[in-house]
Amino acid sequence: MLSFSPQEFSTAKLHGYLLSAVAPRPIAFASTVDANGNPNLSPFSFFNVFSANPPILIFSPARRVRDNTTKHTLENAEATKEVVINVVNHDIVQQMSLSSTEYPEGVNEFEKAGLTMLKSEVVKPFRVAESPVQMECKVNEIIHLGKEAGAGNLIICEVVKMHISEAVLDENNAIDQNKLDLVARAGGSYYSRAKSGFFEIPKPLSTLGIGVDALPKRIRESAVLTGNDLGLLGNVENLPEEKDIQAFKNQHNLSSLSTEEKHKKAKDFLSFNDVESAWKMLLS
């Protein structure tokens, strides 16, 4: 058995062990606004429910391990004392992953991830319309656990309004877990789909993905491609070059295919995480 004291490893190494050992973890898809009302959206897996009366959720935007900086979500929660926690089901998992890309301050992650901003009823941050459960919260307290890289910041939230899609309810108005189809976070690139087990999502680029908002309209509004498909397509830094697209066309003889047929074939490539071939198919 490998036995050690936390001080024996770097923070990054210890961080990896902890995230792999304490898993799967539910995901808080946290929407906030800054002092000027600019929206921000980011997922956090240091998250759970801790009380029903009062209804309390706690999540923790930890200080970045690599450079000890804080995240916009924490800064916004400190400034406005409001947040919306949206749950993540399998239908939006790729878009959620794309939103975790560290875009500069002021960039709207709703737009980058291709998600819809839905006005809240009690608080200022927007809800994620595609999320099946959305919880509007007031921030009661923020507990800073340290000042070094990797230190957590517990945001203690009280739910003041809850919204549940009727599509995930059973005949008794209880949540049907199979219909809800939640996903959770594990170590490395692993996630867990509550009703079917582990799967992998490549981590978002360390550079910035182009985002769903940068996809050509004919792709963004495709009747074939899902939100998850668009999330995968948006997580690329550059599109294929014209010479590579032409070579792909020559190799696959695509001249007789309709737009819908190309989108279906691109969807097949995406099912195997072959994003490059999917892009070449769509642009051919």
Side-chain angles (χ1 to χ4, degrees), residues 5-6 29 74 136-137 141-142 157 168 177 197 226 232-233 251 277:
S5 299
F29 207 7
L74 174 62
E136 300 182 35
C137 302
E141 185 179 1
I142 300 176
C157 308
V168 302
Q177 292 295 299
T226 65
L232 280 167
L233 292 168
Q251 180 183 358
S277 294

Side-chain angles (χ1 to χ4, degrees), residues 39-54:
N40 181 269
L41 181 65
S42 188
F44 299 92
S45 66
F46 289 179
F47 164 63
N48 220 309
V49 56
F50 289 86
S51 173
N53 185 22

Side-chain angles (χ1 to χ4, degrees), residues 244-257 265 269 274 277 280-281 284:
D244 296 322
I245 296 170
Q246 189 60 50
F248 184 87
K249 288 171 65 175
N250 295 338
Q251 180 183 358
H252 293 273
N253 190 22
L254 306 177
S255 57
S256 62
L257 294 182
K265 287 186 176 293
F269 283 121
D274 187 355
S277 294
K280 291 175 182 176
M281 176 65 68
S284 63

Side-chain angles (χ1 to χ4, degrees), residues 95-131:
Q95 291 166 283
M96 176 278 300
S97 178
L98 178 57
S99 76
S100 69
T101 301
E102 293 188 359
Y103 293 105
E105 186 175 3
V107 171
N108 187 340
E109 288 86 0
F110 280 91
E111 294 178 354
K112 284 295 176 187
L115 294 166
T116 306
M117 294 191 298
L118 183 62
K119 186 174 176 58
S120 294
E121 296 182 11
V122 180
V123 300
K124 292 184 179 65
F126 295 92
R127 294 177 277 153
V128 176
E130 291 81 0
S131 171

